[in-house]
Amino acid sequence: MQENAIIRAVTSIDVARAAGVSQSAVSRAFSPGSSISARTKQKVLAAAASLGYRPNRIPAIMLSGRSYMVGVVIGGLENPFYATALERLATALQESGLQVLLMHVDDALTLDSALDRLVSYRIDAIVTSLAIGSKSVVQALSQLRLPVVCFNSSHVGPWISTVNSNNHGAGLVAAHLLGQRGVQRPLWLAGPVRNSASRARGKGFCQGLRVAGLAPALTRMQGNDTYDSGYDAIACLRKQGIRPDGIFSSNDMMACGAIDALRECMDLQCPRDVVIMGYDNIPQAAWRSYDLTSFDQHTEHMVARAMELLDEALGTKDSPLSRTYIVDAQLIERGSTGSGQ
Amino acid sequence: MQENAIIRAVTSIDVARAAGVSQSAVSRAFSPGSSISARTKQKVLAAAASLGYRPNRIPAIMLSGRSYMVGVVIGGLENPFYATALERLATALQESGLQVLLMHVDDALTLDSALDRLVSYRIDAIVTSLAIGSKSVVQALSQLRLPVVCFNSSHVGPWISTVNSNNHGAGLVAAHLLGQRGVQRPLWLAGPVRNSASRARGKGFCQGLRVAGLAPALTRMQGNDTYDSGYDAIACLRKQGIRPDGIFSSNDMMACGAIDALRECMDLQCPRDVVIMGYDNIPQAAWRSYDLTSFDQHTEHMVARAMELLDEALGTKDSPLSRTYIVDAQLIERGSTGSGQ
DNA sequence: TTGTAGGCGTTATCAA
DNA sequence: TTGATAACGCCTACAA
């Protein structure tokens, strides 16, 4: 009843004393599958419950060298795509008995110190959805001698595995679809220059347009994956007197901005005057105001592949795994390309 | 050059041997402010660099009993509000030298096992944005004897502190604004029943309507904080032949759904035929298709308050802190209430 | 300033 | 099945 008397956490020694058994017995009572009599186990559990004992995994990390913590390095959660991807990834990791040590980084510059902190907690591996652009970052990651799994990153190296959406293939499909819709003045709304996934989408799109004979008419606008940049790109085109009739946007956020700008600045309606498609299939793409055709990256599949890579890498410790999975994106046709319900 | 030779991580003992100093010297070289000669420190750092030594914080956790990890329990990341709130919280924690041990839970039912796992890593505290509805959850949290900081939760208890948006006050303001706009048939679009923040907003709104003499005309629809539930609520009203002319939605997601349904199902325009306001001020509220008036919870302030609570609780260990902060929400007027640009 | 020794709380190993 | 012991890697006294 003396609440103040409790100064430090209850340990297995305390439980052992209270139950009149050895410390090993306490350990066994809490380790499934270890040889312990039902009677002893019950005694231990009773004592543990009455003392409020909770097993401490920290010492086990020291002994085994495995923490069962995975460093998850993310950024850009204001994009619903990354937010839901994180949710799925966290769920999958937890189901595999792994903990998520989250690290938010604003830009790749702060990555180095972030990695030091993660590593000091003896994480078993790193998973990141960051668009790993620079070679130096890849080198930093490789030097950790820790399994790394990246999403939509182009750089490879020892210890680094990657799960990519089939960005190039989706670009081809996008061009094909626009061709089918009779588009004459295509527009490519590019994501950040350093984003290799965006570059791959753009390349595929251009190649597809060449096949369709539309390449010479291509306009290209630079965005940064935000709604505002999509809006501004269209507003900018209006000033230049350019009127696209078919748009492929590197992501859905920009596409939504573009749709609004088309309505407000150019008085153009989708899909009557212009067809448009995005990438990521964020929830807002299905919202009625946008009804946006988009490529779904199938984050469930991508996360599942990432978990496979993780399992393998954690099994074959101390040998650098480096593999790449490509997951096809699925075209979700909606009203913005005239394929409405 | 023998990569295979490296089996286990480099320890401070290895560095000490390589540098020809004691293990303590290595420790001191990596502990800022400890008494060590420049010469020794340099020797150690050089040896550490060449061996690729990285300090291990796990033993320090055992010694100090503090892990500098905070368990962050979240859910509902598909709502951009929670995603950006998490981003801000993670940033603040990292800046304070704390790590984020993330735990995603789908519903409060899975919370118990999640807590066990978090506690086994000897986290210093817990921060959660979950709408802690049930008393049993509060009890479970209290029994951890660990500082807990909740966002927008109504239940209190020992060890549990709370940072709340002024939900009731915002409801009053919403009613007042609708009254000013000459609304005659107000609608309250409620969030999940178990969400105490939503209930408080609703109460404030009703009270405000009574003041304005509009309470008898109030319609109430039950939603679950999703876009679809907002859309469906309006679609349902149409069938019942009810035409609201002023709506207060418990969150922005539902408000967006409502706006789309008003357009599509009822052919009503905002703000000409109906004014509407939401809560959270998610990025989509500013998107041109919605241009939604909303209450901004000021997550920066709320996170800052949470960090204060955390600092205090971590300082005064073993004495249960229990405090509540109320942060006023700021009305952001946009076109949906006729206050457009 | 430097080195030595002990301990943090658990698990693995071994002997009983 | 049980208990004693060593070990994990570092930090904090304390002694030199």
Side-chain angles (χ1 to χ4, degrees), chain B residues 22 24-25 28 35-37 40 62-63:
Chain B
S22 74
S24 329
R28 288 191 266 259
S35 71
I36 185 174
S37 71
T40 307
M62 285 183 58
L63 292 173

PDB file of all heavy atoms in Angstrom, chain B residues 22 24-25 28 35-37 40 62-63, chain C residues 1-10:
ATOM      1  N   SER B  22      42.422   2.060 -21.961  1.00  0.00           N
ATOM      2  CA  SER B  22      41.441   1.270 -21.231  1.00  0.00           C
ATOM      3  C   SER B  22      40.052   1.460 -21.821  1.00  0.00           C
ATOM      4  O   SER B  22      39.797   2.411 -22.560  1.00  0.00           O
ATOM      5  CB  SER B  22      41.419   1.684 -19.769  1.00  0.00           C
ATOM      6  OG  SER B  22      40.775   2.929 -19.657  1.00  0.00           O
ATOM      7  N   SER B  24      37.488   2.377 -20.236  1.00  0.00           N
ATOM      8  CA  SER B  24      36.915   3.626 -19.716  1.00  0.00           C
ATOM      9  C   SER B  24      37.290   4.798 -20.603  1.00  0.00           C
ATOM     10  O   SER B  24      36.487   5.706 -20.821  1.00  0.00           O
ATOM     11  CB  SER B  24      37.434   3.896 -18.301  1.00  0.00           C
ATOM     12  OG  SER B  24      37.687   2.700 -17.637  1.00  0.00           O
ATOM     13  N   ALA B  25      38.506   4.781 -21.099  1.00  0.00           N
ATOM     14  CA  ALA B  25      38.948   5.879 -21.960  1.00  0.00           C
ATOM     15  C   ALA B  25      38.047   5.972 -23.187  1.00  0.00           C
ATOM     16  O   ALA B  25      37.683   7.069 -23.621  1.00  0.00           O
ATOM     17  CB  ALA B  25      40.392   5.673 -22.375  1.00  0.00           C
ATOM     18  N   ARG B  28      34.851   7.500 -22.172  1.00  0.00           N
ATOM     19  CA  ARG B  28      34.993   8.940 -21.969  1.00  0.00           C
ATOM     20  C   ARG B  28      35.124   9.695 -23.287  1.00  0.00           C
ATOM     21  O   ARG B  28      34.628  10.806 -23.426  1.00  0.00           O
ATOM     22  CB  ARG B  28      36.204   9.207 -21.080  1.00  0.00           C
ATOM     23  CG  ARG B  28      35.955   8.809 -19.636  1.00  0.00           C
ATOM     24  CD  ARG B  28      37.049   9.318 -18.720  1.00  0.00           C
ATOM     25  NE  ARG B  28      38.092   8.306 -18.523  1.00  0.00           N
ATOM     26  CZ  ARG B  28      38.173   7.544 -17.439  1.00  0.00           C
ATOM     27  NH1 ARG B  28      37.283   7.648 -16.472  1.00  0.00           N
ATOM     28  NH2 ARG B  28      39.135   6.656 -17.314  1.00  0.00           N
ATOM     29  N   SER B  35      36.289  14.000 -18.370  1.00  0.00           N
ATOM     30  CA  SER B  35      37.688  14.437 -18.303  1.00  0.00           C
ATOM     31  C   SER B  35      38.594  13.460 -19.045  1.00  0.00           C
ATOM     32  O   SER B  35      38.802  12.333 -18.621  1.00  0.00           O
ATOM     33  CB  SER B  35      38.128  14.549 -16.846  1.00  0.00           C
ATOM     34  OG  SER B  35      38.241  13.270 -16.273  1.00  0.00           O
ATOM     35  N   ILE B  36      39.098  13.922 -20.164  1.00  0.00           N
ATOM     36  CA  ILE B  36      39.971  13.091 -20.991  1.00  0.00           C
ATOM     37  C   ILE B  36      40.908  14.017 -21.750  1.00  0.00           C
ATOM     38  O   ILE B  36      40.504  15.108 -22.168  1.00  0.00           O
ATOM     39  CB  ILE B  36      39.152  12.208 -21.965  1.00  0.00           C
ATOM     40  CG1 ILE B  36      40.080  11.260 -22.731  1.00  0.00           C
ATOM     41  CG2 ILE B  36      38.331  13.072 -22.907  1.00  0.00           C
ATOM     42  CD1 ILE B  36      39.339  10.273 -23.597  1.00  0.00           C
ATOM     43  N   SER B  37      42.133  13.624 -21.881  1.00  0.00           N
ATOM     44  CA  SER B  37      43.091  14.473 -22.591  1.00  0.00           C
ATOM     45  C   SER B  37      42.821  14.432 -24.085  1.00  0.00           C
ATOM     46  O   SER B  37      42.296  13.444 -24.611  1.00  0.00           O
ATOM     47  CB  SER B  37      44.512  13.986 -22.319  1.00  0.00           C
ATOM     48  OG  SER B  37      44.735  12.766 -22.990  1.00  0.00           O
ATOM     49  N   THR B  40      44.510  11.437 -25.865  1.00  0.00           N
ATOM     50  CA  THR B  40      43.831  10.149 -25.702  1.00  0.00           C
ATOM     51  C   THR B  40      42.560  10.092 -26.541  1.00  0.00           C
ATOM     52  O   THR B  40      42.279   9.114 -27.233  1.00  0.00           O
ATOM     53  CB  THR B  40      43.485   9.914 -24.226  1.00  0.00           C
ATOM     54  OG1 THR B  40      44.652  10.081 -23.432  1.00  0.00           O
ATOM     55  CG2 THR B  40      42.931   8.530 -24.023  1.00  0.00           C
ATOM     56  N   MET B  62      20.260  -0.292 -19.393  1.00  0.00           N
ATOM     57  CA  MET B  62      20.247  -1.162 -18.221  1.00  0.00           C
ATOM     58  C   MET B  62      20.767  -0.437 -16.988  1.00  0.00           C
ATOM     59  O   MET B  62      20.226  -0.578 -15.894  1.00  0.00           O
ATOM     60  CB  MET B  62      21.107  -2.396 -18.483  1.00  0.00           C
ATOM     61  CG  MET B  62      20.444  -3.381 -19.408  1.00  0.00           C
ATOM     62  SD  MET B  62      21.461  -4.844 -19.616  1.00  0.00           S
ATOM     63  CE  MET B  62      21.621  -5.392 -17.934  1.00  0.00           C
ATOM     64  N   LEU B  63      21.807   0.318 -17.196  1.00  0.00           N
ATOM     65  CA  LEU B  63      22.413   0.982 -16.052  1.00  0.00           C
ATOM     66  C   LEU B  63      21.540   2.110 -15.510  1.00  0.00           C
ATOM     67  O   LEU B  63      21.368   2.256 -14.307  1.00  0.00           O
ATOM     68  CB  LEU B  63      23.789   1.542 -16.436  1.00  0.00           C
ATOM     69  CG  LEU B  63      24.843   0.472 -16.727  1.00  0.00           C
ATOM     70  CD1 LEU B  63      26.120   1.119 -17.252  1.00  0.00           C
ATOM     71  CD2 LEU B  63      25.130  -0.325 -15.463  1.00  0.00           C
TER      72      LEU B  63
ATOM     73  P    DT C   1      41.694  16.376 -17.053  1.00  0.00           P
ATOM     74  OP1  DT C   1      41.537  17.221 -18.207  1.00  0.00           O
ATOM     75  OP2  DT C   1      40.520  15.850 -16.337  1.00  0.00           O
ATOM     76  O5'  DT C   1      42.541  15.102 -17.416  1.00  0.00           O
ATOM     77  C5'  DT C   1      43.660  15.094 -18.234  1.00  0.00           C
ATOM     78  C4'  DT C   1      44.325  13.773 -17.999  1.00  0.00           C
ATOM     79  O4'  DT C   1      44.231  13.486 -16.568  1.00  0.00           O
ATOM     80  C3'  DT C   1      43.667  12.590 -18.701  1.00  0.00           C
ATOM     81  O3'  DT C   1      44.669  11.918 -19.439  1.00  0.00           O
ATOM     82  C2'  DT C   1      43.106  11.715 -17.589  1.00  0.00           C
ATOM     83  C1'  DT C   1      43.972  12.107 -16.394  1.00  0.00           C
ATOM     84  N1   DT C   1      43.295  11.944 -15.065  1.00  0.00           N
ATOM     85  C2   DT C   1      43.669  10.913 -14.237  1.00  0.00           C
ATOM     86  O2   DT C   1      44.545  10.123 -14.524  1.00  0.00           O
ATOM     87  N3   DT C   1      42.994  10.854 -13.035  1.00  0.00           N
ATOM     88  C4   DT C   1      41.996  11.708 -12.594  1.00  0.00           C
ATOM     89  O4   DT C   1      41.459  11.552 -11.507  1.00  0.00           O
ATOM     90  C5   DT C   1      41.653  12.765 -13.513  1.00  0.00           C
ATOM     91  C7   DT C   1      40.589  13.749 -13.159  1.00  0.00           C
ATOM     92  C6   DT C   1      42.297  12.842 -14.700  1.00  0.00           C
ATOM     93  P    DT C   2      44.287  10.783 -20.417  1.00  0.00           P
ATOM     94  OP1  DT C   2      45.394  10.628 -21.396  1.00  0.00           O
ATOM     95  OP2  DT C   2      42.925  11.058 -20.877  1.00  0.00           O
ATOM     96  O5'  DT C   2      44.256   9.489 -19.508  1.00  0.00           O
ATOM     97  C5'  DT C   2      45.462   8.801 -19.222  1.00  0.00           C
ATOM     98  C4'  DT C   2      45.191   7.760 -18.185  1.00  0.00           C
ATOM     99  O4'  DT C   2      44.391   8.319 -17.119  1.00  0.00           O
ATOM    100  C3'  DT C   2      44.378   6.558 -18.647  1.00  0.00           C
ATOM    101  O3'  DT C   2      45.268   5.514 -18.980  1.00  0.00           O
ATOM    102  C2'  DT C   2      43.484   6.211 -17.455  1.00  0.00           C
ATOM    103  C1'  DT C   2      43.874   7.230 -16.407  1.00  0.00           C
ATOM    104  N1   DT C   2      42.764   7.718 -15.561  1.00  0.00           N
ATOM    105  C2   DT C   2      42.591   7.157 -14.311  1.00  0.00           C
ATOM    106  O2   DT C   2      43.300   6.268 -13.878  1.00  0.00           O
ATOM    107  N3   DT C   2      41.541   7.688 -13.578  1.00  0.00           N
ATOM    108  C4   DT C   2      40.679   8.689 -13.975  1.00  0.00           C
ATOM    109  O4   DT C   2      39.782   9.077 -13.245  1.00  0.00           O
ATOM    110  C5   DT C   2      40.912   9.222 -15.293  1.00  0.00           C
ATOM    111  C7   DT C   2      40.041  10.315 -15.814  1.00  0.00           C
ATOM    112  C6   DT C   2      41.941   8.717 -16.026  1.00  0.00           C
ATOM    113  P    DG C   3      44.673   4.199 -19.665  1.00  0.00           P
ATOM    114  OP1  DG C   3      45.784   3.584 -20.439  1.00  0.00           O
ATOM    115  OP2  DG C   3      43.406   4.549 -20.326  1.00  0.00           O
ATOM    116  O5'  DG C   3      44.376   3.267 -18.416  1.00  0.00           O
ATOM    117  C5'  DG C   3      45.455   2.882 -17.572  1.00  0.00           C
ATOM    118  C4'  DG C   3      44.929   2.184 -16.348  1.00  0.00           C
ATOM    119  O4'  DG C   3      44.026   3.079 -15.654  1.00  0.00           O
ATOM    120  C3'  DG C   3      44.134   0.906 -16.644  1.00  0.00           C
ATOM    121  O3'  DG C   3      44.635  -0.140 -15.814  1.00  0.00           O
ATOM    122  C2'  DG C   3      42.689   1.274 -16.266  1.00  0.00           C
ATOM    123  C1'  DG C   3      42.895   2.355 -15.216  1.00  0.00           C
ATOM    124  N9   DG C   3      41.797   3.299 -15.113  1.00  0.00           N
ATOM    125  C8   DG C   3      41.329   4.143 -16.091  1.00  0.00           C
ATOM    126  N7   DG C   3      40.343   4.895 -15.702  1.00  0.00           N
ATOM    127  C5   DG C   3      40.129   4.535 -14.381  1.00  0.00           C
ATOM    128  C6   DG C   3      39.192   5.004 -13.433  1.00  0.00           C
ATOM    129  O6   DG C   3      38.328   5.872 -13.591  1.00  0.00           O
ATOM    130  N1   DG C   3      39.324   4.357 -12.201  1.00  0.00           N
ATOM    131  C2   DG C   3      40.244   3.384 -11.933  1.00  0.00           C
ATOM    132  N2   DG C   3      40.221   2.872 -10.700  1.00  0.00           N
ATOM    133  N3   DG C   3      41.141   2.923 -12.805  1.00  0.00           N
ATOM    134  C4   DG C   3      41.023   3.543 -13.999  1.00  0.00           C
ATOM    135  P    DT C   4      44.131  -1.636 -16.027  1.00  0.00           P
ATOM    136  OP1  DT C   4      45.292  -2.524 -15.924  1.00  0.00           O
ATOM    137  OP2  DT C   4      43.267  -1.662 -17.222  1.00  0.00           O
ATOM    138  O5'  DT C   4      43.212  -1.845 -14.743  1.00  0.00           O
ATOM    139  C5'  DT C   4      43.693  -1.412 -13.473  1.00  0.00           C
ATOM    140  C4'  DT C   4      42.698  -1.796 -12.391  1.00  0.00           C
ATOM    141  O4'  DT C   4      41.682  -0.761 -12.274  1.00  0.00           O
ATOM    142  C3'  DT C   4      41.933  -3.094 -12.622  1.00  0.00           C
ATOM    143  O3'  DT C   4      41.793  -3.752 -11.378  1.00  0.00           O
ATOM    144  C2'  DT C   4      40.604  -2.631 -13.178  1.00  0.00           C
ATOM    145  C1'  DT C   4      40.397  -1.327 -12.428  1.00  0.00           C
ATOM    146  N1   DT C   4      39.560  -0.305 -13.123  1.00  0.00           N
ATOM    147  C2   DT C   4      38.590   0.358 -12.420  1.00  0.00           C
ATOM    148  O2   DT C   4      38.366   0.147 -11.253  1.00  0.00           O
ATOM    149  N3   DT C   4      37.891   1.289 -13.152  1.00  0.00           N
ATOM    150  C4   DT C   4      38.062   1.605 -14.496  1.00  0.00           C
ATOM    151  O4   DT C   4      37.383   2.455 -15.050  1.00  0.00           O
ATOM    152  C5   DT C   4      39.100   0.875 -15.168  1.00  0.00           C
ATOM    153  C7   DT C   4      39.380   1.137 -16.618  1.00  0.00           C
ATOM    154  C6   DT C   4      39.800  -0.050 -14.457  1.00  0.00           C
ATOM    155  P    DA C   5      41.155  -5.204 -11.292  1.00  0.00           P
ATOM    156  OP1  DA C   5      41.886  -5.941 -10.248  1.00  0.00           O
ATOM    157  OP2  DA C   5      41.020  -5.760 -12.657  1.00  0.00           O
ATOM    158  O5'  DA C   5      39.700  -4.853 -10.737  1.00  0.00           O
ATOM    159  C5'  DA C   5      39.593  -4.008  -9.579  1.00  0.00           C
ATOM    160  C4'  DA C   5      38.138  -3.854  -9.198  1.00  0.00           C
ATOM    161  O4'  DA C   5      37.525  -2.844 -10.056  1.00  0.00           O
ATOM    162  C3'  DA C   5      37.295  -5.118  -9.385  1.00  0.00           C
ATOM    163  O3'  DA C   5      36.342  -5.174  -8.336  1.00  0.00           O
ATOM    164  C2'  DA C   5      36.628  -4.904 -10.740  1.00  0.00           C
ATOM    165  C1'  DA C   5      36.388  -3.401 -10.691  1.00  0.00           C
ATOM    166  N9   DA C   5      36.272  -2.765 -11.997  1.00  0.00           N
ATOM    167  C8   DA C   5      36.909  -3.111 -13.160  1.00  0.00           C
ATOM    168  N7   DA C   5      36.610  -2.333 -14.179  1.00  0.00           N
ATOM    169  C5   DA C   5      35.717  -1.417 -13.637  1.00  0.00           C
ATOM    170  C6   DA C   5      35.033  -0.325 -14.191  1.00  0.00           C
ATOM    171  N6   DA C   5      35.141   0.028 -15.471  1.00  0.00           N
ATOM    172  N1   DA C   5      34.224   0.393 -13.373  1.00  0.00           N
ATOM    173  C2   DA C   5      34.126   0.015 -12.091  1.00  0.00           C
ATOM    174  N3   DA C   5      34.721  -0.984 -11.455  1.00  0.00           N
ATOM    175  C4   DA C   5      35.507  -1.664 -12.299  1.00  0.00           C
ATOM    176  P    DG C   6      35.546  -6.520  -8.052  1.00  0.00           P
ATOM    177  OP1  DG C   6      35.903  -6.937  -6.685  1.00  0.00           O
ATOM    178  OP2  DG C   6      35.684  -7.455  -9.184  1.00  0.00           O
ATOM    179  O5'  DG C   6      34.041  -5.986  -8.021  1.00  0.00           O
ATOM    180  C5'  DG C   6      33.759  -4.743  -7.357  1.00  0.00           C
ATOM    181  C4'  DG C   6      32.452  -4.178  -7.884  1.00  0.00           C
ATOM    182  O4'  DG C   6      32.674  -3.579  -9.187  1.00  0.00           O
ATOM    183  C3'  DG C   6      31.359  -5.232  -8.072  1.00  0.00           C
ATOM    184  O3'  DG C   6      30.154  -4.735  -7.499  1.00  0.00           O
ATOM    185  C2'  DG C   6      31.237  -5.380  -9.588  1.00  0.00           C
ATOM    186  C1'  DG C   6      31.642  -3.998 -10.058  1.00  0.00           C
ATOM    187  N9   DG C   6      32.168  -3.960 -11.425  1.00  0.00           N
ATOM    188  C8   DG C   6      33.037  -4.850 -12.010  1.00  0.00           C
ATOM    189  N7   DG C   6      33.343  -4.543 -13.238  1.00  0.00           N
ATOM    190  C5   DG C   6      32.621  -3.376 -13.477  1.00  0.00           C
ATOM    191  C6   DG C   6      32.551  -2.569 -14.648  1.00  0.00           C
ATOM    192  O6   DG C   6      33.122  -2.733 -15.724  1.00  0.00           O
ATOM    193  N1   DG C   6      31.698  -1.475 -14.461  1.00  0.00           N
ATOM    194  C2   DG C   6      31.017  -1.201 -13.308  1.00  0.00           C
ATOM    195  N2   DG C   6      30.261  -0.112 -13.307  1.00  0.00           N
ATOM    196  N3   DG C   6      31.085  -1.942 -12.204  1.00  0.00           N
ATOM    197  C4   DG C   6      31.896  -3.007 -12.372  1.00  0.00           C
ATOM    198  P    DG C   7      29.002  -5.735  -7.127  1.00  0.00           P
ATOM    199  OP1  DG C   7      28.659  -5.511  -5.722  1.00  0.00           O
ATOM    200  OP2  DG C   7      29.340  -7.093  -7.623  1.00  0.00           O
ATOM    201  O5'  DG C   7      27.826  -5.175  -8.047  1.00  0.00           O
ATOM    202  C5'  DG C   7      27.566  -3.773  -8.079  1.00  0.00           C
ATOM    203  C4'  DG C   7      26.845  -3.442  -9.365  1.00  0.00           C
ATOM    204  O4'  DG C   7      27.775  -3.503 -10.461  1.00  0.00           O
ATOM    205  C3'  DG C   7      25.707  -4.413  -9.711  1.00  0.00           C
ATOM    206  O3'  DG C   7      24.500  -3.693  -9.837  1.00  0.00           O
ATOM    207  C2'  DG C   7      26.123  -5.045 -11.023  1.00  0.00           C
ATOM    208  C1'  DG C   7      27.099  -4.030 -11.578  1.00  0.00           C
ATOM    209  N9   DG C   7      28.097  -4.588 -12.480  1.00  0.00           N
ATOM    210  C8   DG C   7      28.845  -5.728 -12.290  1.00  0.00           C
ATOM    211  N7   DG C   7      29.674  -5.972 -13.277  1.00  0.00           N
ATOM    212  C5   DG C   7      29.453  -4.939 -14.164  1.00  0.00           C
ATOM    213  C6   DG C   7      30.049  -4.670 -15.425  1.00  0.00           C
ATOM    214  O6   DG C   7      30.921  -5.311 -16.002  1.00  0.00           O
ATOM    215  N1   DG C   7      29.529  -3.507 -16.006  1.00  0.00           N
ATOM    216  C2   DG C   7      28.555  -2.717 -15.439  1.00  0.00           C
ATOM    217  N2   DG C   7      28.189  -1.648 -16.135  1.00  0.00           N
ATOM    218  N3   DG C   7      27.989  -2.958 -14.263  1.00  0.00           N
ATOM    219  C4   DG C   7      28.482  -4.073 -13.696  1.00  0.00           C
ATOM    220  P    DC C   8      23.134  -4.427  -9.584  1.00  0.00           P
ATOM    221  OP1  DC C   8      22.534  -3.845  -8.379  1.00  0.00           O
ATOM    222  OP2  DC C   8      23.339  -5.877  -9.696  1.00  0.00           O
ATOM    223  O5'  DC C   8      22.254  -3.976 -10.832  1.00  0.00           O
ATOM    224  C5'  DC C   8      22.102  -2.604 -11.174  1.00  0.00           C
ATOM    225  C4'  DC C   8      21.812  -2.517 -12.652  1.00  0.00           C
ATOM    226  O4'  DC C   8      23.029  -2.733 -13.376  1.00  0.00           O
ATOM    227  C3'  DC C   8      20.864  -3.603 -13.135  1.00  0.00           C
ATOM    228  O3'  DC C   8      19.531  -3.097 -13.110  1.00  0.00           O
ATOM    229  C2'  DC C   8      21.324  -3.872 -14.573  1.00  0.00           C
ATOM    230  C1'  DC C   8      22.745  -3.291 -14.631  1.00  0.00           C
ATOM    231  N1   DC C   8      23.831  -4.269 -14.918  1.00  0.00           N
ATOM    232  C2   DC C   8      24.728  -4.028 -15.966  1.00  0.00           C
ATOM    233  O2   DC C   8      24.575  -3.017 -16.645  1.00  0.00           O
ATOM    234  N3   DC C   8      25.718  -4.928 -16.209  1.00  0.00           N
ATOM    235  C4   DC C   8      25.837  -6.015 -15.438  1.00  0.00           C
ATOM    236  N4   DC C   8      26.834  -6.865 -15.706  1.00  0.00           N
ATOM    237  C5   DC C   8      24.929  -6.277 -14.367  1.00  0.00           C
ATOM    238  C6   DC C   8      23.947  -5.388 -14.147  1.00  0.00           C
ATOM    239  P    DG C   9      18.396  -3.907 -12.353  1.00  0.00           P
ATOM    240  OP1  DG C   9      17.246  -3.008 -12.205  1.00  0.00           O
ATOM    241  OP2  DG C   9      18.960  -4.582 -11.174  1.00  0.00           O
ATOM    242  O5'  DG C   9      18.020  -5.037 -13.409  1.00  0.00           O
ATOM    243  C5'  DG C   9      17.364  -4.649 -14.603  1.00  0.00           C
ATOM    244  C4'  DG C   9      17.247  -5.839 -15.519  1.00  0.00           C
ATOM    245  O4'  DG C   9      18.570  -6.313 -15.838  1.00  0.00           O
ATOM    246  C3'  DG C   9      16.511  -7.040 -14.910  1.00  0.00           C
ATOM    247  O3'  DG C   9      15.637  -7.547 -15.897  1.00  0.00           O
ATOM    248  C2'  DG C   9      17.632  -8.005 -14.571  1.00  0.00           C
ATOM    249  C1'  DG C   9      18.635  -7.707 -15.660  1.00  0.00           C
ATOM    250  N9   DG C   9      20.021  -8.013 -15.338  1.00  0.00           N
ATOM    251  C8   DG C   9      20.618  -7.967 -14.098  1.00  0.00           C
ATOM    252  N7   DG C   9      21.888  -8.275 -14.123  1.00  0.00           N
ATOM    253  C5   DG C   9      22.153  -8.547 -15.463  1.00  0.00           C
ATOM    254  C6   DG C   9      23.367  -8.935 -16.101  1.00  0.00           C
ATOM    255  O6   DG C   9      24.466  -9.112 -15.590  1.00  0.00           O
ATOM    256  N1   DG C   9      23.189  -9.095 -17.470  1.00  0.00           N
ATOM    257  C2   DG C   9      21.997  -8.912 -18.142  1.00  0.00           C
ATOM    258  N2   DG C   9      22.023  -9.101 -19.442  1.00  0.00           N
ATOM    259  N3   DG C   9      20.861  -8.545 -17.549  1.00  0.00           N
ATOM    260  C4   DG C   9      21.013  -8.382 -16.222  1.00  0.00           C
ATOM    261  P    DT C  10      14.539  -8.632 -15.559  1.00  0.00           P
ATOM    262  OP1  DT C  10      13.246  -8.105 -16.003  1.00  0.00           O
ATOM    263  OP2  DT C  10      14.729  -9.112 -14.169  1.00  0.00           O
ATOM    264  O5'  DT C  10      14.990  -9.845 -16.483  1.00  0.00           O
ATOM    265  C5'  DT C  10      14.924  -9.715 -17.840  1.00  0.00           C
ATOM    266  C4'  DT C  10      16.101 -10.377 -18.537  1.00  0.00           C
ATOM    267  O4'  DT C  10      17.308 -10.239 -17.771  1.00  0.00           O
ATOM    268  C3'  DT C  10      15.998 -11.883 -18.727  1.00  0.00           C
ATOM    269  O3'  DT C  10      15.327 -12.122 -19.965  1.00  0.00           O
ATOM    270  C2'  DT C  10      17.442 -12.354 -18.772  1.00  0.00           C
ATOM    271  C1'  DT C  10      18.252 -11.138 -18.301  1.00  0.00           C
ATOM    272  N1   DT C  10      19.268 -11.441 -17.261  1.00  0.00           N
ATOM    273  C2   DT C  10      20.520 -11.833 -17.665  1.00  0.00           C
ATOM    274  O2   DT C  10      20.842 -11.966 -18.826  1.00  0.00           O
ATOM    275  N3   DT C  10      21.405 -12.079 -16.635  1.00  0.00           N
ATOM    276  C4   DT C  10      21.138 -11.959 -15.288  1.00  0.00           C
ATOM    277  O4   DT C  10      22.012 -12.199 -14.454  1.00  0.00           O
ATOM    278  C5   DT C  10      19.809 -11.554 -14.940  1.00  0.00           C
ATOM    279  C7   DT C  10      19.432 -11.393 -13.502  1.00  0.00           C
ATOM    280  C6   DT C  10      18.932 -11.305 -15.931  1.00  0.00           C
TER     281       DT C  10
END
